[in-house]
Amino acid sequence: MRTDPRPTADAIGAYYPDDYGPYMTAPVIKVKPSTWHRRFKARWNRWLGKDVRRIPDIAPGRMLEVGSAGGAYLLEMQAKGWTVEGIEFSPAAAQKARERGLNVRTGSLETATPPQEKADVIAAWMVLEHLHEPLAGLRKMHEWVRPDGYLVAAVPDASALERRVFGEYWYGWHLPAHLYHYTPDSLRRLLDKAGWTLCAMHWQPNPMNLLNSLEWQAEAHGRQRLLRLARWLKHSPKAGKLRRWLGWLLGITRQSGRMEFWARPKPQPRTA
């Protein structure tokens, strides 16, 4: 699915002000020393589907994040032993990342030059839906990753039941910033055309698509009781455990509206 009409490449920057949510400085997750208890908890959370933005279990190497915002994820991965760099569309967010000591270049994926060395992992969390030319972007990242490397990414899932339930009020549309809207099948076909093989997919345990959509619809229709409920579920500390269990349920049923995937470059044909 494609947003139409849509902002042009020259005009799209107006929809990404400096206070755009993902650009705001996120807290850096402190990486604690590994213990058997923490390793067990990490595996338990993975088995339950509670972890997000996870990567394959490989030795740390070089990581490039496309759309690195203020650099919180890069700092987390750097603390885990990765050599990191980023590309960020927002000059203000890129500057925040550089102030944190990170190598982050300002610019779009479409105009970015190749990294100095090919990456073992390219991360693109909630990026593909923002690109005017996602096929070209995926092909470009294909050139930047090692033959045995990975692309790890996330996109909204337009096949989710909530999209059909809430219609125009579905939070995942995020118009007009989201230019393309993917389903598992269309994503798989796009990756294949760009030279990638989809090797894993899972859904984030996150209830916020559902709760934001509920809030928007209730507000638009003047349903005050439902609006108060939606806002209580979103913000109240007393609803924290309920949010976590709702997110987990949506994740394991593939209905959270947010899917993560891993892809690898297709093997290049051998020449005689």
Side-chain angles (χ1 to χ4, degrees):
M1 286 178 274
R2 180 181 186 274
T3 297
D4 187 49
R6 54 167 55 190
T8 65
D10 292 333
I12 193 72
Y15 297 97
Y16 299 100
D18 290 347
D19 60 354
Y20 180 61
Y23 293 162
M24 305 305 287
T25 302
V28 178
I29 299 175
K30 293 184 179 180
V31 178
K32 299 177 181 179
S34 177
T35 64
W36 73 267
H37 177 263
R38 292 193 180 107
R39 290 194 296 271
F40 174 80
K41 186 176 180 180
R43 292 186 180 218
W44 179 251
N45 284 338
R46 177 169 295 191
W47 184 78
L48 288 176
K50 288 185 176 182
D51 55 341
V52 297
R53 298 199 303 183
R54 71 180 189 229
I55 66 172
D57 188 15
I58 59 175
R62 298 191 67 87
M63 173 179 285
L64 170 67
E65 185 181 11
V66 178
S68 53
Y73 182 72
L74 289 179
L75 284 172
E76 178 187 344
M77 301 311 293
Q78 186 180 67
K80 292 180 179 179
W82 288 83
T83 300
V84 300
E85 63 179 302
I87 299 170
E88 173 50 51
F89 178 75
S90 164
Q95 180 60 31
K96 288 178 183 177
R98 288 191 289 270
E99 290 171 358
R100 288 171 146 181
L102 294 167
N103 175 18
V104 173
R105 292 176 285 154
T106 303
S108 65
L109 173 61
E110 293 88 343
T111 60
T113 55
Q116 291 183 348
E117 294 185 40
K118 290 194 173 185
D120 297 288
V121 172
I122 294 179
W125 306 117
M126 296 295 178
V127 168
L128 292 180
E129 64 273 19
H130 295 267
L131 300 180
H132 279 83
E133 300 292 342
L135 179 60
L138 283 166
R139 285 173 171 165
K140 197 168 192 177
M141 289 188 283
H142 187 280
E143 296 173 359
W144 294 352
V145 75
R146 297 183 189 276
D148 60 345
Y150 286 88
L151 169 65
V152 297
V155 294
D157 178 12
S159 72
L161 177 63
E162 64 185 28
R163 193 265 300 175
R164 297 189 290 275
V165 170
F166 292 105
E168 64 180 306
Y169 301 108
W170 181 50
Y171 184 74
W173 291 129
H174 200 60
L175 302 177
H178 288 186
L179 305 177
Y180 285 91
H181 312 277
Y182 302 99
T183 66
D185 182 60
S186 66
L187 178 64
R188 183 179 292 105
R189 287 186 280 113
L190 178 67
L191 288 166
D192 180 72
K193 195 171 183 179
W196 296 92
T197 298
L198 181 65
C199 55
M201 182 177 289
H202 64 279
W203 279 255
Q204 291 182 352
N206 192 321
M208 297 314 294
N209 264 23
L210 174 63
L211 298 180
N212 284 321
S213 302
L214 182 64
E215 180 183 21
W216 286 5
Q217 188 181 66
E219 187 172 24
H221 291 277
R223 301 178 65 182
Q224 294 303 315
R225 287 186 179 180
L226 187 60
L227 180 60
R228 287 194 294 271
L229 174 62
R231 289 176 174 170
W232 180 81
L233 288 170
K234 278 180 60 177
H235 302 296
S236 174
K238 294 181 180 180
K241 186 173 290 188
L242 182 58
R243 283 194 299 271
R244 289 192 293 273
W245 279 106
L246 178 59
W248 173 77
L249 180 62
L250 292 170
I252 64 168
T253 56
R254 303 183 174 187
Q255 294 300 324
S256 68
R258 303 183 185 206
M259 52 186 178
E260 295 186 5
F261 66 91
W262 300 345
R264 306 195 76 173
K266 289 182 182 179
Q268 297 295 321
R270 295 183 178 180
T271 57

